[in-house]
Structure formats: structure tokens, C-alpha cells
mmCIF file of all heavy atoms in Angstrom:
data_model
loop_
_atom_site.group_PDB
_atom_site.id
_atom_site.type_symbol
_atom_site.label_atom_id
_atom_site.label_comp_id
_atom_site.label_asym_id
_atom_site.label_seq_id
_atom_site.Cartn_x
_atom_site.Cartn_y
_atom_site.Cartn_z
ATOM 1 N N MET A 1 0.860 -1.204 -0.056
ATOM 2 C CA MET A 1 0.009 -0.042 -0.055
ATOM 3 C C MET A 1 0.829 1.256 0.004
ATOM 4 O O MET A 1 0.406 2.263 -0.434
ATOM 5 C CB MET A 1 -0.927 0.081 1.305
ATOM 6 C CG MET A 1 -2.082 -0.787 1.196
ATOM 7 S SD MET A 1 -3.414 0.329 0.677
ATOM 8 C CE MET A 1 -4.717 -0.884 0.392
ATOM 9 N N LYS A 2 2.094 1.224 0.485
ATOM 10 C CA LYS A 2 2.867 2.440 0.521
ATOM 11 C C LYS A 2 3.277 2.854 -0.867
ATOM 12 O O LYS A 2 3.422 4.125 -1.025
ATOM 13 C CB LYS A 2 4.074 2.282 1.342
ATOM 14 C CG LYS A 2 3.869 2.213 2.834
ATOM 15 C CD LYS A 2 5.117 2.275 3.668
ATOM 16 C CE LYS A 2 4.781 2.198 5.086
ATOM 17 N NZ LYS A 2 5.939 2.467 5.980
ATOM 18 N N GLN A 3 3.425 1.992 -1.780
ATOM 19 C CA GLN A 3 3.695 2.359 -3.237
ATOM 20 C C GLN A 3 2.665 3.204 -3.761
ATOM 21 O O GLN A 3 2.805 4.193 -4.399
ATOM 22 C CB GLN A 3 3.868 1.144 -3.998
ATOM 23 C CG GLN A 3 5.332 0.484 -3.829
ATOM 24 C CD GLN A 3 5.531 -0.604 -4.633
ATOM 25 O OE1 GLN A 3 4.654 -1.217 -5.130
ATOM 26 N NE2 GLN A 3 6.805 -1.033 -4.729
ATOM 27 N N ALA A 4 1.277 2.892 -3.461
ATOM 28 C CA ALA A 4 0.289 3.603 -3.999
ATOM 29 C C ALA A 4 0.243 5.073 -3.550
ATOM 30 O O ALA A 4 -0.222 5.953 -4.205
ATOM 31 C CB ALA A 4 -1.049 2.943 -3.782
ATOM 32 N N ARG A 5 0.614 5.270 -2.259
ATOM 33 C CA ARG A 5 0.554 6.515 -1.637
ATOM 34 C C ARG A 5 1.718 7.467 -2.197
ATOM 35 O O ARG A 5 1.638 8.699 -2.276
ATOM 36 C CB ARG A 5 0.766 6.432 -0.148
ATOM 37 C CG ARG A 5 -0.370 5.765 0.560
ATOM 38 C CD ARG A 5 -0.250 5.539 1.884
ATOM 39 N NE ARG A 5 -0.486 6.772 2.692
ATOM 40 C CZ ARG A 5 -0.049 7.029 3.862
ATOM 41 N NH1 ARG A 5 0.817 6.102 4.473
ATOM 42 N NH2 ARG A 5 -0.368 8.196 4.494
ATOM 43 N N SER A 6 2.846 6.848 -2.664
ATOM 44 C CA SER A 6 3.924 7.726 -3.086
ATOM 45 C C SER A 6 3.953 7.878 -4.608
ATOM 46 O O SER A 6 4.885 8.555 -5.154
ATOM 47 C CB SER A 6 5.248 7.107 -2.688
ATOM 48 O OG SER A 6 5.483 5.816 -3.311
ATOM 49 N N ARG A 7 2.870 7.497 -5.352
ATOM 50 C CA ARG A 7 2.853 7.624 -6.776
ATOM 51 C C ARG A 7 2.662 9.105 -7.054
ATOM 52 O O ARG A 7 1.806 9.730 -6.392
ATOM 53 C CB ARG A 7 1.657 6.777 -7.425
ATOM 54 C CG ARG A 7 2.050 5.415 -7.508
ATOM 55 C CD ARG A 7 0.958 4.601 -8.141
ATOM 56 N NE ARG A 7 0.573 5.103 -9.500
ATOM 57 C CZ ARG A 7 -0.486 4.651 -10.049
ATOM 58 N NH1 ARG A 7 -1.180 3.836 -9.597
ATOM 59 N NH2 ARG A 7 -0.772 5.211 -11.211
ATOM 60 N N GLY A 8 3.257 9.576 -8.056
ATOM 61 C CA GLY A 8 3.163 11.012 -8.462
ATOM 62 C C GLY A 8 4.003 11.995 -7.654
ATOM 63 O O GLY A 8 4.027 13.081 -7.911
ATOM 64 N N GLN A 9 4.779 11.492 -6.780
ATOM 65 C CA GLN A 9 5.564 12.357 -5.860
ATOM 66 C C GLN A 9 6.700 12.989 -6.654
ATOM 67 O O GLN A 9 6.978 14.132 -6.597
ATOM 68 C CB GLN A 9 6.205 11.447 -4.723
ATOM 69 C CG GLN A 9 7.140 12.352 -3.830
ATOM 70 C CD GLN A 9 6.406 13.407 -2.996
ATOM 71 O OE1 GLN A 9 5.224 13.268 -2.796
ATOM 72 N NE2 GLN A 9 7.046 14.403 -2.617
ATOM 73 N N SER A 10 7.305 12.182 -7.623
ATOM 74 C CA SER A 10 8.462 12.759 -8.362
ATOM 75 C C SER A 10 7.945 13.910 -9.372
ATOM 76 O O SER A 10 8.669 14.818 -9.631
ATOM 77 C CB SER A 10 9.145 11.665 -9.094
ATOM 78 O OG SER A 10 8.257 11.089 -10.056
ATOM 79 N N SER A 11 6.744 13.758 -9.844
ATOM 80 C CA SER A 11 6.334 14.751 -10.712
ATOM 81 C C SER A 11 6.087 16.076 -10.008
ATOM 82 O O SER A 11 6.348 17.176 -10.488
ATOM 83 C CB SER A 11 5.057 14.357 -11.470
ATOM 84 O OG SER A 11 4.029 14.201 -10.542
ATOM 85 N N MET A 12 5.693 15.996 -8.759
ATOM 86 C CA MET A 12 5.521 17.277 -7.982
ATOM 87 C C MET A 12 6.896 17.807 -7.686
ATOM 88 O O MET A 12 7.111 19.123 -7.670
ATOM 89 C CB MET A 12 4.807 16.945 -6.672
ATOM 90 C CG MET A 12 4.650 18.216 -5.847
ATOM 91 S SD MET A 12 3.820 19.537 -6.682
ATOM 92 C CE MET A 12 2.094 19.003 -6.642
ATOM 93 N N GLU A 13 7.861 16.953 -7.424
ATOM 94 C CA GLU A 13 9.258 17.479 -7.082
ATOM 95 C C GLU A 13 9.802 18.211 -8.334
ATOM 96 O O GLU A 13 10.397 19.171 -8.297
ATOM 97 C CB GLU A 13 10.137 16.289 -6.699
ATOM 98 C CG GLU A 13 9.821 15.768 -5.298
ATOM 99 C CD GLU A 13 10.518 14.477 -5.010
ATOM 100 O OE1 GLU A 13 11.206 13.963 -5.844
ATOM 101 O OE2 GLU A 13 10.373 14.076 -3.783
ATOM 102 N N TYR A 14 9.604 17.669 -9.574
ATOM 103 C CA TYR A 14 10.175 18.164 -10.777
ATOM 104 C C TYR A 14 9.473 19.526 -10.998
ATOM 105 O O TYR A 14 10.131 20.375 -11.409
ATOM 106 C CB TYR A 14 9.866 17.261 -11.993
ATOM 107 C CG TYR A 14 10.833 16.009 -11.972
ATOM 108 C CD1 TYR A 14 10.277 14.714 -12.266
ATOM 109 C CD2 TYR A 14 12.211 16.127 -11.792
ATOM 110 C CE1 TYR A 14 11.112 13.744 -12.266
ATOM 111 C CE2 TYR A 14 13.029 15.054 -11.713
ATOM 112 C CZ TYR A 14 12.400 13.762 -12.038
ATOM 113 O OH TYR A 14 13.203 12.764 -12.037
ATOM 114 N N THR A 15 8.183 19.590 -10.758
ATOM 115 C CA THR A 15 7.495 20.836 -10.927
ATOM 116 C C THR A 15 7.968 21.924 -9.991
ATOM 117 O O THR A 15 8.141 23.003 -10.443
ATOM 118 C CB THR A 15 5.924 20.666 -10.772
ATOM 119 O OG1 THR A 15 5.408 19.596 -11.535
ATOM 120 C CG2 THR A 15 5.092 21.862 -10.848
ATOM 121 N N VAL A 16 8.235 21.541 -8.750
ATOM 122 C CA VAL A 16 8.698 22.654 -7.833
ATOM 123 C C VAL A 16 10.187 22.934 -8.183
ATOM 124 O O VAL A 16 10.536 24.231 -8.269
ATOM 125 C CB VAL A 16 8.744 22.038 -6.431
ATOM 126 C CG1 VAL A 16 9.485 22.896 -5.477
ATOM 127 C CG2 VAL A 16 7.339 21.829 -5.950
ATOM 128 N N ILE A 17 10.969 22.036 -8.615
ATOM 129 C CA ILE A 17 12.380 22.468 -8.988
ATOM 130 C C ILE A 17 12.365 23.319 -10.378
ATOM 131 O O ILE A 17 13.108 24.323 -10.331
ATOM 132 C CB ILE A 17 13.159 21.132 -9.254
ATOM 133 C CG1 ILE A 17 13.419 20.522 -7.847
ATOM 134 C CG2 ILE A 17 14.513 21.412 -9.976
ATOM 135 C CD1 ILE A 17 14.048 19.130 -7.912
ATOM 136 N N CYS A 18 11.532 22.905 -11.245
ATOM 137 C CA CYS A 18 11.486 23.738 -12.510
ATOM 138 C C CYS A 18 10.962 25.077 -12.292
ATOM 139 O O CYS A 18 11.432 26.135 -12.819
ATOM 140 C CB CYS A 18 10.614 23.023 -13.562
ATOM 141 S SG CYS A 18 11.467 21.606 -14.236
ATOM 142 N N ALA A 19 9.954 25.177 -11.413
ATOM 143 C CA ALA A 19 9.362 26.519 -10.999
ATOM 144 C C ALA A 19 10.492 27.362 -10.300
ATOM 145 O O ALA A 19 10.631 28.554 -10.573
ATOM 146 C CB ALA A 19 8.271 26.379 -10.122
ATOM 147 N N ALA A 20 11.223 26.801 -9.504
ATOM 148 C CA ALA A 20 12.323 27.474 -8.739
ATOM 149 C C ALA A 20 13.388 27.978 -9.745
ATOM 150 O O ALA A 20 13.872 29.075 -9.633
ATOM 151 C CB ALA A 20 12.922 26.584 -7.661
ATOM 152 N N ILE A 21 13.836 27.140 -10.665
ATOM 153 C CA ILE A 21 14.693 27.633 -11.665
ATOM 154 C C ILE A 21 14.197 28.576 -12.468
ATOM 155 O O ILE A 21 14.859 29.637 -12.859
ATOM 156 C CB ILE A 21 15.160 26.261 -12.518
ATOM 157 C CG1 ILE A 21 15.986 25.329 -11.709
ATOM 158 C CG2 ILE A 21 15.960 26.714 -13.753
ATOM 159 C CD1 ILE A 21 16.285 23.955 -12.265
ATOM 160 N N ALA A 22 13.012 28.545 -13.009
ATOM 161 C CA ALA A 22 12.382 29.514 -13.786
ATOM 162 C C ALA A 22 12.254 30.902 -12.983
ATOM 163 O O ALA A 22 12.517 32.056 -13.599
ATOM 164 C CB ALA A 22 10.982 29.113 -14.221
ATOM 165 N N ALA A 23 11.931 30.841 -11.705
ATOM 166 C CA ALA A 23 11.960 32.052 -10.944
ATOM 167 C C ALA A 23 13.279 32.619 -10.750
ATOM 168 O O ALA A 23 13.439 33.827 -10.816
ATOM 169 C CB ALA A 23 11.244 31.666 -9.612
ATOM 170 N N ALA A 24 14.307 31.792 -10.497
ATOM 171 C CA ALA A 24 15.636 32.329 -10.442
ATOM 172 C C ALA A 24 16.194 32.935 -11.610
ATOM 173 O O ALA A 24 16.808 34.060 -11.619
ATOM 174 C CB ALA A 24 16.571 31.168 -9.938
ATOM 175 N N LEU A 25 15.772 32.439 -12.769
ATOM 176 C CA LEU A 25 16.167 32.937 -14.067
ATOM 177 C C LEU A 25 15.381 34.246 -14.418
ATOM 178 O O LEU A 25 15.893 35.167 -14.967
ATOM 179 C CB LEU A 25 16.081 31.956 -15.199
ATOM 180 C CG LEU A 25 17.065 30.751 -15.203
ATOM 181 C CD1 LEU A 25 16.734 29.887 -16.337
ATOM 182 C CD2 LEU A 25 18.520 31.294 -15.433
ATOM 183 N N GLY A 26 14.136 34.234 -14.056
ATOM 184 C CA GLY A 26 13.322 35.338 -14.244
ATOM 185 C C GLY A 26 13.491 36.497 -13.466
ATOM 186 O O GLY A 26 12.950 37.660 -13.795
ATOM 187 N N LEU A 27 14.143 36.376 -12.301
ATOM 188 C CA LEU A 27 14.372 37.573 -11.500
ATOM 189 C C LEU A 27 15.107 38.714 -12.228
ATOM 190 O O LEU A 27 14.826 39.885 -11.891
ATOM 191 C CB LEU A 27 15.035 37.145 -10.182
ATOM 192 C CG LEU A 27 14.132 36.428 -9.145
ATOM 193 C CD1 LEU A 27 15.087 35.959 -8.030
ATOM 194 C CD2 LEU A 27 12.994 37.178 -8.680
ATOM 195 N N GLY A 28 16.068 38.327 -12.945
ATOM 196 C CA GLY A 28 16.867 39.323 -13.651
ATOM 197 C C GLY A 28 16.496 39.576 -15.005
ATOM 198 O O GLY A 28 17.217 40.021 -15.792
ATOM 199 N N MET A 29 15.173 39.385 -15.446
ATOM 200 C CA MET A 29 14.728 39.505 -16.707
ATOM 201 C C MET A 29 14.460 40.976 -17.096
ATOM 202 O O MET A 29 14.157 41.262 -18.307
ATOM 203 C CB MET A 29 13.533 38.667 -16.904
ATOM 204 C CG MET A 29 13.181 38.338 -18.305
ATOM 205 S SD MET A 29 11.976 37.044 -18.406
ATOM 206 C CE MET A 29 11.492 37.215 -20.120
ATOM 207 N N ALA A 30 14.628 41.810 -16.201
ATOM 208 C CA ALA A 30 14.364 43.289 -16.567
ATOM 209 C C ALA A 30 15.335 43.835 -17.538
ATOM 210 O O ALA A 30 14.937 44.648 -18.378
ATOM 211 C CB ALA A 30 14.415 44.068 -15.162
ATOM 212 N N ASP A 31 16.518 43.483 -17.545
ATOM 213 C CA ASP A 31 17.496 43.853 -18.508
ATOM 214 C C ASP A 31 17.696 42.839 -19.643
ATOM 215 O O ASP A 31 17.394 41.664 -19.480
ATOM 216 C CB ASP A 31 18.790 44.243 -17.894
ATOM 217 C CG ASP A 31 19.513 43.156 -17.204
ATOM 218 O OD1 ASP A 31 18.763 42.065 -17.050
ATOM 219 O OD2 ASP A 31 20.649 43.146 -16.882
ATOM 220 N N ARG A 32 18.201 43.324 -20.760
ATOM 221 C CA ARG A 32 18.358 42.442 -21.902
ATOM 222 C C ARG A 32 19.587 41.641 -21.830
ATOM 223 O O ARG A 32 19.850 40.780 -22.752
ATOM 224 C CB ARG A 32 18.427 43.303 -23.201
ATOM 225 C CG ARG A 32 17.184 44.099 -23.485
ATOM 226 C CD ARG A 32 16.082 43.122 -23.988
ATOM 227 N NE ARG A 32 14.907 43.890 -24.210
ATOM 228 C CZ ARG A 32 13.908 43.449 -24.857
ATOM 229 N NH1 ARG A 32 13.990 42.119 -25.473
ATOM 230 N NH2 ARG A 32 12.787 44.068 -25.054
ATOM 231 N N ASP A 33 20.475 41.624 -20.845
ATOM 232 C CA ASP A 33 21.550 40.878 -20.714
ATOM 233 C C ASP A 33 21.405 39.724 -19.802
ATOM 234 O O ASP A 33 22.339 38.919 -19.530
ATOM 235 C CB ASP A 33 22.734 41.685 -20.098
ATOM 236 C CG ASP A 33 23.135 42.759 -21.093
ATOM 237 O OD1 ASP A 33 23.009 42.587 -22.277
ATOM 238 O OD2 ASP A 33 23.724 43.826 -20.609
ATOM 239 N N SER A 34 20.209 39.454 -19.346
ATOM 240 C CA SER A 34 19.874 38.288 -18.338
ATOM 241 C C SER A 34 19.993 36.960 -19.161
ATOM 242 O O SER A 34 19.822 36.975 -20.392
ATOM 243 C CB SER A 34 18.565 38.417 -17.758
ATOM 244 O OG SER A 34 17.580 38.261 -18.728
ATOM 245 N N VAL A 35 20.210 35.932 -18.490
ATOM 246 C CA VAL A 35 20.383 34.589 -19.130
ATOM 247 C C VAL A 35 18.982 34.232 -19.738
ATOM 248 O O VAL A 35 19.060 33.616 -20.883
ATOM 249 C CB VAL A 35 20.637 33.550 -18.002
ATOM 250 C CG1 VAL A 35 20.785 32.197 -18.515
ATOM 251 C CG2 VAL A 35 22.087 33.842 -17.329
ATOM 252 N N LEU A 36 17.937 34.492 -19.167
ATOM 253 C CA LEU A 36 16.644 34.106 -19.712
ATOM 254 C C LEU A 36 16.381 34.838 -20.972
ATOM 255 O O LEU A 36 15.838 34.240 -22.006
ATOM 256 C CB LEU A 36 15.489 34.295 -18.744
ATOM 257 C CG LEU A 36 14.242 33.721 -19.028
ATOM 258 C CD1 LEU A 36 14.312 32.228 -19.209
ATOM 259 C CD2 LEU A 36 13.125 33.939 -17.940
ATOM 260 N N TRP A 37 16.686 36.138 -21.176
ATOM 261 C CA TRP A 37 16.524 36.909 -22.338
ATOM 262 C C TRP A 37 17.445 36.166 -23.466
ATOM 263 O O TRP A 37 17.037 36.194 -24.672
ATOM 264 C CB TRP A 37 16.878 38.335 -22.246
ATOM 265 C CG TRP A 37 15.631 39.083 -21.797
ATOM 266 C CD1 TRP A 37 15.451 39.686 -20.578
ATOM 267 C CD2 TRP A 37 14.368 39.327 -22.568
ATOM 268 N NE1 TRP A 37 14.178 40.273 -20.590
ATOM 269 C CE2 TRP A 37 13.542 40.044 -21.686
ATOM 270 C CE3 TRP A 37 13.949 38.895 -23.752
ATOM 271 C CZ2 TRP A 37 12.309 40.470 -22.184
ATOM 272 C CZ3 TRP A 37 12.722 39.392 -24.239
ATOM 273 C CH2 TRP A 37 11.907 40.085 -23.382
ATOM 274 N N GLN A 38 18.693 35.909 -23.119
ATOM 275 C CA GLN A 38 19.627 35.338 -24.001
ATOM 276 C C GLN A 38 19.034 33.963 -24.564
ATOM 277 O O GLN A 38 19.082 33.673 -25.775
ATOM 278 C CB GLN A 38 20.922 35.142 -23.540
ATOM 279 C CG GLN A 38 21.606 36.515 -23.216
ATOM 280 C CD GLN A 38 23.018 36.261 -22.543
ATOM 281 O OE1 GLN A 38 23.545 35.167 -22.406
ATOM 282 N NE2 GLN A 38 23.558 37.423 -22.150
ATOM 283 N N LEU A 39 18.502 33.215 -23.699
ATOM 284 C CA LEU A 39 17.869 31.998 -24.067
ATOM 285 C C LEU A 39 16.701 32.160 -25.011
ATOM 286 O O LEU A 39 16.570 31.430 -25.979
ATOM 287 C CB LEU A 39 17.469 31.189 -22.786
ATOM 288 C CG LEU A 39 16.915 29.753 -23.108
ATOM 289 C CD1 LEU A 39 17.940 28.831 -23.694
ATOM 290 C CD2 LEU A 39 16.376 29.183 -21.724
ATOM 291 N N VAL A 40 15.786 33.115 -24.707
ATOM 292 C CA VAL A 40 14.669 33.412 -25.557
ATOM 293 C C VAL A 40 15.136 33.900 -26.870
ATOM 294 O O VAL A 40 14.667 33.330 -27.911
ATOM 295 C CB VAL A 40 13.823 34.520 -24.845
ATOM 296 C CG1 VAL A 40 12.753 35.042 -25.863
ATOM 297 C CG2 VAL A 40 13.126 33.929 -23.615
ATOM 298 N N GLN A 41 16.138 34.702 -27.009
ATOM 299 C CA GLN A 41 16.641 35.148 -28.234
ATOM 300 C C GLN A 41 17.321 34.030 -29.062
ATOM 301 O O GLN A 41 17.229 33.966 -30.248
ATOM 302 C CB GLN A 41 17.788 36.351 -27.965
ATOM 303 C CG GLN A 41 17.188 37.640 -27.458
ATOM 304 C CD GLN A 41 16.198 38.236 -28.457
ATOM 305 O OE1 GLN A 41 15.970 37.710 -29.540
ATOM 306 N NE2 GLN A 41 15.684 39.413 -28.013
ATOM 307 N N ALA A 42 17.958 33.096 -28.367
ATOM 308 C CA ALA A 42 18.515 31.874 -29.104
ATOM 309 C C ALA A 42 17.478 31.029 -29.722
ATOM 310 O O ALA A 42 17.583 30.538 -30.801
ATOM 311 C CB ALA A 42 19.470 31.160 -28.121
ATOM 312 N N PHE A 43 16.371 30.804 -28.868
ATOM 313 C CA PHE A 43 15.301 30.010 -29.435
ATOM 314 C C PHE A 43 14.669 30.749 -30.582
ATOM 315 O O PHE A 43 14.318 30.085 -31.700
ATOM 316 C CB PHE A 43 14.301 29.730 -28.310
ATOM 317 C CG PHE A 43 14.609 28.611 -27.462
ATOM 318 C CD1 PHE A 43 14.577 28.729 -26.167
ATOM 319 C CD2 PHE A 43 14.825 27.251 -28.036
ATOM 320 C CE1 PHE A 43 14.906 27.617 -25.259
ATOM 321 C CE2 PHE A 43 15.202 26.239 -27.287
ATOM 322 C CZ PHE A 43 15.230 26.421 -25.884
ATOM 323 N N ARG A 44 14.420 32.062 -30.465
ATOM 324 C CA ARG A 44 13.817 32.938 -31.613
ATOM 325 C C ARG A 44 14.646 32.742 -32.754
ATOM 326 O O ARG A 44 14.155 32.600 -34.062
ATOM 327 C CB ARG A 44 13.646 34.285 -31.189
ATOM 328 C CG ARG A 44 12.951 35.116 -32.102
ATOM 329 C CD ARG A 44 12.756 36.557 -31.653
ATOM 330 N NE ARG A 44 11.765 36.489 -30.508
ATOM 331 C CZ ARG A 44 11.684 37.411 -29.552
ATOM 332 N NH1 ARG A 44 12.484 38.402 -29.614
ATOM 333 N NH2 ARG A 44 10.801 37.211 -28.700
ATOM 334 N N ALA A 45 16.069 32.847 -32.719
ATOM 335 C CA ALA A 45 16.895 32.797 -33.964
ATOM 336 C C ALA A 45 16.867 31.455 -34.525
ATOM 337 O O ALA A 45 16.800 31.268 -35.731
ATOM 338 C CB ALA A 45 18.343 33.221 -33.556
ATOM 339 N N GLY A 46 16.838 30.462 -33.785
ATOM 340 C CA GLY A 46 16.769 29.105 -34.281
ATOM 341 C C GLY A 46 15.516 28.813 -35.013
ATOM 342 O O GLY A 46 15.534 28.204 -35.929
ATOM 343 N N TYR A 47 14.421 29.191 -34.350
ATOM 344 C CA TYR A 47 13.107 29.095 -34.989
ATOM 345 C C TYR A 47 12.966 29.862 -36.399
ATOM 346 O O TYR A 47 12.466 29.284 -37.335
ATOM 347 C CB TYR A 47 11.955 29.610 -34.088
ATOM 348 C CG TYR A 47 10.597 29.357 -34.644
ATOM 349 C CD1 TYR A 47 10.136 27.932 -34.681
ATOM 350 C CD2 TYR A 47 9.872 30.345 -35.131
ATOM 351 C CE1 TYR A 47 8.849 27.837 -35.116
ATOM 352 C CE2 TYR A 47 8.608 30.124 -35.683
ATOM 353 C CZ TYR A 47 8.147 28.839 -35.666
ATOM 354 O OH TYR A 47 6.801 28.675 -36.206
ATOM 355 N N GLN A 48 13.636 30.910 -36.428
ATOM 356 C CA GLN A 48 13.531 31.761 -37.697
ATOM 357 C C GLN A 48 14.434 30.977 -38.689
ATOM 358 O O GLN A 48 14.000 30.945 -39.883
ATOM 359 C CB GLN A 48 14.048 33.157 -37.419
ATOM 360 C CG GLN A 48 13.151 34.035 -36.778
ATOM 361 C CD GLN A 48 13.726 35.498 -36.417
ATOM 362 O OE1 GLN A 48 14.956 35.626 -36.626
ATOM 363 N NE2 GLN A 48 12.812 36.342 -35.961
ATOM 364 N N LYS A 49 15.565 30.404 -38.384
ATOM 365 C CA LYS A 49 16.335 29.700 -39.343
ATOM 366 C C LYS A 49 15.665 28.525 -39.790
ATOM 367 O O LYS A 49 15.732 28.117 -40.976
ATOM 368 C CB LYS A 49 17.639 29.315 -38.620
ATOM 369 C CG LYS A 49 18.654 30.472 -38.399
ATOM 370 C CD LYS A 49 19.922 30.144 -37.771
ATOM 371 C CE LYS A 49 20.724 31.255 -37.465
ATOM 372 N NZ LYS A 49 22.025 31.036 -36.837
ATOM 373 N N ILE A 50 14.938 27.809 -38.890
ATOM 374 C CA ILE A 50 14.333 26.506 -39.278
ATOM 375 C C ILE A 50 13.036 26.900 -40.230
ATOM 376 O O ILE A 50 12.895 26.248 -41.302
ATOM 377 C CB ILE A 50 13.871 25.730 -38.048
ATOM 378 C CG1 ILE A 50 14.981 25.112 -37.342
ATOM 379 C CG2 ILE A 50 12.756 24.755 -38.494
ATOM 380 C CD1 ILE A 50 14.573 24.534 -36.007
ATOM 381 N N THR A 51 12.328 27.949 -39.941
ATOM 382 C CA THR A 51 11.214 28.211 -40.782
ATOM 383 C C THR A 51 11.650 28.842 -42.075
ATOM 384 O O THR A 51 10.991 28.576 -43.118
ATOM 385 C CB THR A 51 10.282 29.350 -40.048
ATOM 386 O OG1 THR A 51 11.056 30.486 -39.695
ATOM 387 C CG2 THR A 51 9.568 28.739 -38.866
ATOM 388 N N HIS A 52 12.770 29.462 -42.194
ATOM 389 C CA HIS A 52 13.362 29.871 -43.432
ATOM 390 C C HIS A 52 13.734 28.717 -44.262
ATOM 391 O O HIS A 52 13.497 28.634 -45.423
ATOM 392 C CB HIS A 52 14.428 30.902 -43.190
ATOM 393 C CG HIS A 52 15.179 31.338 -44.555
ATOM 394 N ND1 HIS A 52 14.560 32.130 -45.412
ATOM 395 C CD2 HIS A 52 16.394 30.900 -44.963
ATOM 396 C CE1 HIS A 52 15.277 32.236 -46.463
ATOM 397 N NE2 HIS A 52 16.476 31.615 -46.231
ATOM 398 N N ALA A 53 14.482 27.785 -43.628
ATOM 399 C CA ALA A 53 14.933 26.520 -44.415
ATOM 400 C C ALA A 53 13.745 25.815 -44.810
ATOM 401 O O ALA A 53 13.866 25.226 -46.021
ATOM 402 C CB ALA A 53 15.780 25.770 -43.514
ATOM 403 N N ILE A 54 12.713 25.735 -44.076
ATOM 404 C CA ILE A 54 11.560 24.952 -44.615
ATOM 405 C C ILE A 54 10.781 25.720 -45.803
ATOM 406 O O ILE A 54 10.295 24.954 -46.653
ATOM 407 C CB ILE A 54 10.565 24.755 -43.404
ATOM 408 C CG1 ILE A 54 11.146 23.724 -42.395
ATOM 409 C CG2 ILE A 54 9.136 24.217 -43.910
ATOM 410 C CD1 ILE A 54 10.357 23.670 -41.135
ATOM 411 N N SER A 55 10.795 26.960 -45.786
ATOM 412 C CA SER A 55 9.946 27.659 -46.738
ATOM 413 C C SER A 55 10.775 27.844 -48.054
ATOM 414 O O SER A 55 10.177 28.135 -48.961
ATOM 415 C CB SER A 55 9.728 29.094 -46.274
ATOM 416 O OG SER A 55 10.853 29.870 -46.056
ATOM 417 N N VAL A 56 12.089 27.609 -48.102
ATOM 418 C CA VAL A 56 12.921 27.712 -49.435
ATOM 419 C C VAL A 56 12.471 26.502 -50.240
ATOM 420 O O VAL A 56 12.445 25.380 -49.899
ATOM 421 C CB VAL A 56 14.390 27.695 -49.025
ATOM 422 C CG1 VAL A 56 15.139 27.616 -50.294
ATOM 423 C CG2 VAL A 56 14.879 28.809 -48.200
ATOM 424 N N PRO A 57 12.082 26.773 -51.490
ATOM 425 C CA PRO A 57 11.679 25.681 -52.369
ATOM 426 C C PRO A 57 12.942 24.876 -52.746
ATOM 427 O O PRO A 57 14.100 25.325 -52.765
ATOM 428 C CB PRO A 57 11.165 26.406 -53.634
ATOM 429 C CG PRO A 57 11.653 27.783 -53.545
ATOM 430 C CD PRO A 57 11.968 28.159 -52.059
ATOM 431 N N ASP A 58 12.677 23.610 -53.127
ATOM 432 C CA ASP A 58 13.834 22.645 -53.439
ATOM 433 C C ASP A 58 14.408 22.960 -54.713
ATOM 434 O O ASP A 58 14.163 23.389 -55.713
ATOM 435 C CB ASP A 58 13.245 21.302 -53.553
ATOM 436 C CG ASP A 58 12.895 20.709 -52.150
ATOM 437 O OD1 ASP A 58 13.545 21.207 -51.198
ATOM 438 O OD2 ASP A 58 12.036 19.883 -52.097
#
């Protein structure tokens, strides 16, 4: 019976840890030099490159 009570515990721990990391990264998001802004810009640039490569005809 103890296994049934502990099911789902790890997902809650991952949620709390991810929320803490997001909060820690987001605290300094006011300026454009923060780690989170750099990550967002990197994702944006990568997405633009992928969409451009997909839209180019063969």
C-alpha cells in the first residue's frame, strides 16, 4: 500500500524544481543581458532559421 501513496511524488518534485529555476532565471529578466533573455533570443533565432529553411523551395 505504501507504493500507491507515493505515486506522483516525483512529478511534484520536478514541478517545484522547474518553478524554482524559472523564478531564479526570471528575477533578472528586467534587462536584456539576463540569461533568460539570451535563451529566448537563441530560441527565436533558431526558429527563424528553421522556418526559413523549410520555406525555401527545393
Side-chain angles (χ1 to χ4, degrees):
M1 281 260 174
K2 286 190 177 187
Q3 286 180 340
R5 294 173 83 200
S6 64
R7 282 180 58 189
Q9 180 67 24
S10 63
S11 64
M12 181 54 79
E13 291 170 355
Y14 288 133
T15 302
V16 169
I17 289 172
C18 289
I21 290 172
L25 289 174
L27 287 177
M29 200 169 165
D31 61 346
R32 295 287 179 166
D33 294 331
S34 71
V35 175
L36 194 55
W37 272 114
Q38 292 176 8
L39 182 64
V40 167
Q41 292 295 358
F43 278 125
R44 185 177 293 157
Y47 183 75
Q48 287 175 348
K49 288 178 183 179
I50 289 172
T51 55
H52 175 68
I54 290 172
S55 67
V56 174
D58 289 332

